[in-house]
Amino acid sequence: MTNHVMDGAGHQLRLIRNARRKSLTVIAQRAGISASYLSRLENGERALDRRSLVVALANALEVAPSEITGAALAAPGSSDEDRSLNGVRLALLAVSMGEPAGEVVPIDGLRVRVTELLDDQKDCKAVEVGQALPGLIRDLHTTLGAGHDVATLLKLLALTHVQGTQAWLMDVGANLDLAWQAAALAKGAAEQVDDRLTLAVSAFGTAFGLIGAGAFDLASRAVSTADPGTATPESMHAAGMLSLTSSLVAAARGNESERSAALDHAADLAAHTGEGNALWFGFGPSNVGVWQMSVALEAGEYAEAARIATTVHPDALPSPTRRSAYFREYGRALAHLPRRTNDAVMMLRRAEEISPTRIHRHPFMRSVLAELLTKTKRDSVGRELRGMAYRAGLHV
């Protein structure tokens, strides 16, 4: 890095740290250096001439490196989620070959592990989920192959591959075909056990895999053929989520009447169930509101999506993953409205604080961030935006 680029970097470093209201000790600890060394950097007594140190300080301050140096650096290297991805890929490949190479585990132990993993997924703990998934996938399929507790295992497999494997792969921006492989495994397990609730969970995963590929007609058929009924709270939650999925597909197909009918049906079911998290769906009135926002965005009704957001209480949402979705969708809506750029950035920043992967890896977010970059001034809000854009891999 040239000297003229680094001129004033120490002064800028101090300005940003003071703006963040962080002490020398806190930022130094985050960056892996001593407070005295950070002080010397800020005073210009030590040169800030290492890319690795610039990145470490930028990460500690939660800004893009260019905020410190005045010049762009390459995006960060592979994340912890990326390092877990190959283990999940290999586990899925092993299962597809009929050689999962796991261990036969008692059903109660597997049930506990599935519960812990799905809780972590809903709590936006992407690193922990990525670390746990390969072993769990292998052990579930190995135990199934041994013929133990087959019906229970098939239900666990379908649930795990939709709400765990597929959901995590989509969150971390994995290849669409890999997420589809998880959905296909769930579908196969559900068809073997032939349980209405399990088939509904599988249909939800199948539909989302098809939506991602733009196969809206197939996605519509997938959700319409599943019928969990409404006899139990769990079945009502599943039926509600299928209706919400149907509304999103209808919006993508431009079918306004079908979209409205599906949303109305979901809202009616939510009025009966209240807020909940059966089958890790997080279904309830507040989540219906988040889906209404997403459906309006899909239809290009940005002002309507922003209006709906004001009627939703994010604290009522049953999990961090749904709260992150609320702030992300609110930010997406505001990004399209005049004179709401600063509000959009702050909403997206709140989403990122809850779940970084849902901002950095979501297929729409890079373009949203890129557009916002053209509108934002070099002020405190602009700093937040450039930090997010950098963490999402954009060149800023």
Side-chain angles (χ1 to χ4, degrees):
M1 196 172 297
T2 59
N3 289 334
H4 78 274
V5 170
M6 296 310 303
D7 284 345
H11 175 68
Q12 188 65 11
L13 189 59
R14 174 176 288 161
L15 287 177
I16 297 171
R17 180 176 60 77
N18 288 336
R20 290 291 199 221
R21 298 181 180 180
K22 299 296 183 184
S23 68
L24 283 165
T25 300
V26 167
I27 297 304
Q29 287 178 343
R30 289 181 181 178
I33 60 177
S34 68
S36 61
Y37 185 53
L38 177 56
S39 178
R40 293 188 183 99
L41 288 169
E42 290 185 354
N43 291 330
E45 297 171 10
R46 292 289 184 272
L48 187 51
D49 58 356
R50 287 187 291 121
R51 290 177 181 272
S52 59
L53 182 55
V54 171
V55 170
L57 288 165
N59 289 340
L61 291 162
E62 296 185 304
V63 299
S66 58
E67 295 297 320
I68 299 172
T69 65
L73 292 178
S78 296
S79 66
D80 291 331
E81 294 93 330
D82 291 329
R83 285 187 281 273
S84 297
L85 183 57
N86 197 50
V88 175
R89 178 184 289 108
L90 290 175
L92 291 174
L93 285 172
V95 168
S96 70
M97 294 294 292
E99 300 179 15
E103 297 181 0
V104 176
V105 179
I107 189 66
D108 288 341
L110 288 171
R111 189 180 287 111
V112 168
R113 288 167 62 186
V114 168
T115 298
E116 290 175 347
L117 183 133
L118 298 186
D119 283 344
D120 282 347
Q121 174 63 23
K122 289 302 177 186
D123 288 342
C124 302
K125 296 180 179 178
V127 173
E128 290 85 346
V129 174
Q131 292 171 345
L133 260 177
L136 180 58
I137 291 170
R138 291 177 182 274
D139 290 350
L140 281 167
H141 284 274
T142 298
T143 306
L144 178 65
H148 296 183
D149 302 290
V150 172
T152 301
L153 268 171
L154 288 170
K155 294 177 183 180
L156 275 179
L157 274 169
L159 184 63
T160 300
H161 281 313
V162 170
Q163 302 288 42
T165 314
Q166 183 184 16
W168 182 83
L169 288 167
M170 293 172 69
D171 278 354
V172 303
N175 184 282
L176 176 64
D177 290 343
L178 200 58
W180 177 253
Q181 190 172 351
L185 286 170
K187 186 173 186 292
E191 289 173 346
Q192 286 185 66
V193 75
D194 196 23
D195 170 73
R196 292 174 71 186
L197 196 57
T198 304
L199 286 166
V201 172
S202 166
F204 176 80
T206 298
F208 258 85
L210 293 167
I211 290 170
F216 302 130
D217 290 344
L218 288 173
S220 179
R221 286 200 287 275
V223 293
S224 64
T225 55
D227 180 18
T230 56
T232 67
E234 283 190 335
S235 61
M236 291 180 74
H237 281 241
M241 292 307 298
L242 290 176
S243 286
L244 291 174
T245 307
S246 179
S247 70
L248 184 62
V249 174
R253 299 167 76 192
N255 190 327
E256 187 172 348
S257 61
E258 185 177 316
R259 155 193 159 191
S260 296
L263 284 174
D264 288 345
H265 181 54
D268 181 62
L269 288 170
H272 287 85
T273 65
E275 306 289 358
N277 197 31
L279 299 168
W280 287 269
F281 277 129
F283 182 72
S286 297
N287 199 10
V288 169
V290 176
W291 276 76
Q292 288 172 333
M293 293 164 63
S294 298
V295 170
L297 286 168
E298 182 62 39
E301 299 171 359
Y302 307 117
E304 175 64 6
R307 185 199 66 77
I308 294 168
T310 64
T311 70
V312 177
H313 300 288
D315 290 341
L317 290 162
S319 66
T321 189
R322 300 317 302 155
R323 290 192 286 277
S324 175
Y326 166 81
F327 289 115
R328 184 189 67 201
E329 301 299 71
Y330 200 176
R332 283 179 59 201
L334 293 172
H336 288 276
L337 301 182
R339 297 180 296 280
R340 299 302 301 273
T341 297
N342 287 3
D343 295 331
V345 171
M346 300 317 296
M347 289 298 169
L348 295 177
R349 183 71 175 101
R350 292 185 71 175
E352 185 195 34
E353 288 172 344
I354 298 170
S355 176
T357 58
R358 286 178 161 248
I359 294 297
H360 304 164
R361 307 300 182 89
H362 191 276
F364 299 151
M365 290 316 304
R366 285 171 63 91
S367 61
V368 172
L369 293 172
E371 180 179 344
L372 287 171
L373 283 168
T374 68
K375 304 175 181 178
T376 309
K377 300 176 181 178
R378 295 194 71 85
D379 54 11
S380 59
V381 174
R383 178 179 296 151
E384 295 288 1
L385 174 61
R386 287 185 291 277
M388 274 193 292
Y390 169 74
R391 291 186 289 275
L394 293 175
H395 192 71
V396 295

